[in-house]
Amino acid sequence: MILRHASTLNGAVSIVLASASPRRREILTKTLGLTNVVVVKSAFAEDLDKSKYDGAAAYAEATAWKKAMDVCQNWSSYSDLPMPDVVISADTVVESASGTVMEKPGDASEARAMLRALSGSTSRVHTGVAIVTPKVRVDRVGELCGKVFSETTRVEFAELEDEEIDAYIATGEPFDKAGGYGIQGPAAAFIRGIVGDYFNVVGFPVHAFTRELEPMVGDILERA
Amino acid sequence: MILRHASTLNGAVSIVLASASPRRREILTKTLGLTNVVVVKSAFAEDLDKSKYDGAAAYAEATAWKKAMDVCQNWSSYSDLPMPDVVISADTVVESASGTVMEKPGDASEARAMLRALSGSTSRVHTGVAIVTPKVRVDRVGELCGKVFSETTRVEFAELEDEEIDAYIATGEPFDKAGGYGIQGPAAAFIRGIVGDYFNVVGFPVHAFTRELEPMVGDILERA
């Protein structure tokens, strides 16, 4: 786990979050106590061809990896700071019961279609996470070291009336969120329950992240 | 659902939350958008005899009901404001895999014992919620109208090392929380996943609350 390492990491290690999501930043800083996080929004277009990936989770992993790699490989174009010790990125997608992969809705009618598809059904939220340590390279091939993984949470929506969907869209909540909703806001009332990690639905799988980071902490501290 | 009623309720209805939990207040105001909530801490001692109730959920319901009743029946001793339209209260308990009911730990050693009992196991969180409408009385018996219900969420903890438990206790987090942890803080990293409503684990079952409140809204607005 990470809790007992938090103060050491905060003092010794520079962490970049390659995601503009304020929710991910809050999870890292407030929930996990990693206060020394710099946010950099990756310029990666997030336009991978979904049909080339074996499922929505693999697609989210690939996008997360590309975002982290972009920031590491083009670091000097993002910041005047020295290369960070750790670069973290994530990508969240929602997969409807019928298998449609939903990202952020472009407008109200797209948000309405997404929320209608989620109403009364169990969908899945996949978050891919990449953890890259850009100061560590695999000697033989010169590639950056890191790992990528994903976490899936099932989400059961109650039946939503159109009037409720419209009131929700009017709040503006859907537009920066995969699937057109944020479980941490008013849409909490729409959701009967989940199976899995709640924070994965918000956009960052806290438990899986700490489990995956734990064995890397020694190496990270050594190179920092 | 409640979202489409929120602005009407905010304008027309006085709501009292008979619970000092800042988390419950935040869920009502920020998550559900019920901005017109006054917090009153019930003086009810929360000392019911657990052995008299058929399970931990029934015990939480009874405590929630007593807290709401106390505030309604002794309103003038709590506030100079007029009697509110709605009084809401809640009580959360954690039931370990072996059936021990855990409330707030009294000290570090009690917190340690609770977290060790939760480590590597699946426990259950029960929140009882009372919704009382003190201006409405059942004509025949003169009793206050209201309802009480509970929601249960299963929580799967990872194996926790003693070092991690100690680091967590040192944050001070356990002491105002049933079971000695708060899923919304650093303990998020301890939890593999849940089955059910996340907000129920935080202390207030958002979906069940809105589902139960919905059929009461007409009456509440009529009497307000």
Side-chain angles (χ1 to χ4, degrees), chain B residues 189-204:
Chain B
F190 299 164
I191 293 167
R192 286 212 183 96
I194 67 172
V195 180
D197 184 349
Y198 164 81
F199 295 92
N200 192 49
V201 184
V202 178
F204 198 77

Side-chain angles (χ1 to χ4, degrees), chain B residues 10 20 26 28 33 45 54-55 59 63-64 68 80 85 91 101-102 113 131 133-134 149 164 169-170 188 191 197:
Chain B
N10 289 338
E26 195 175 315
L28 281 172
D54 184 20
Y59 168 76
T63 301
D80 294 331
D85 299 301
D91 186 59
V101 176
M102 303 189 281
I131 308 175
T133 50
F149 57 92
E164 195 72 12
I169 292 170
I191 293 167
D197 184 349

Side-chain angles (χ1 to χ4, degrees), chain B residues 31-51:
Chain B
T31 309
L32 285 173
L34 294 173
T35 49
N36 193 20
V37 171
V38 172
V39 174
V40 166
K41 184 171 165 22
S42 167
F44 176 67
E46 305 194 22
D47 57 358
L48 298 175
D49 179 354
K50 290 187 187 70
S51 69

Side-chain angles (χ1 to χ4, degrees), chain A residues 87-127:
Chain A
V87 174
I88 298 161
S89 71
D91 186 57
T92 299
V93 298
V94 175
E95 184 179 4
S96 75
S98 64
T100 305
V101 177
M102 302 188 283
E103 298 182 86
K104 296 177 184 77
D107 56 30
S109 85
E110 215 175 314
R112 192 172 296 115
M114 288 179 179
L115 291 161
R116 281 183 179 159
L118 295 168
S119 169
S121 73
T122 298
S123 46
R124 290 188 291 172
V125 177
H126 310 280
T127 300

Side-chain angles (χ1 to χ4, degrees), chain A residues 1-5 30-32 151 158-161 163-164 167-169 171 183-199 206-207 210-211 214, chain B residues 1-5 30-32 151 158-161 163-164 167-169 171 183-199 206-207 210-211 214:
Chain A
M1 301 274 170
I2 206 177
L3 192 54
R4 64 174 185 270
H5 302 303
K30 291 198 188 165
T31 311
L32 286 172
E151 178 81 8
E159 294 278 353
L160 307 179
E161 294 156 45
E163 208 179 346
E164 196 71 13
Y168 182 64
I169 292 171
T171 65
I183 191 172
Q184 68 282 357
F190 299 164
I191 292 168
R192 285 213 184 96
I194 68 171
V195 179
D197 183 349
Y198 164 82
F199 295 93
V206 169
H207 175 71
T210 60
R211 185 192 66 216
E214 171 77 19
Chain B
M1 300 272 169
I2 205 177
L3 190 54
R4 65 172 184 268
H5 302 302
K30 291 198 188 163
T31 309
L32 285 173
E151 178 82 8
E159 294 278 353
L160 308 179
E161 294 156 44
E163 208 179 347
E164 195 72 12
Y168 182 64
I169 292 170
T171 65
I183 190 173
Q184 67 282 356
F190 299 164
I191 293 167
R192 286 212 183 96
I194 67 172
V195 180
D197 184 349
Y198 164 81
F199 295 92
V206 170
H207 175 71
T210 60
R211 187 192 64 214
E214 170 77 20

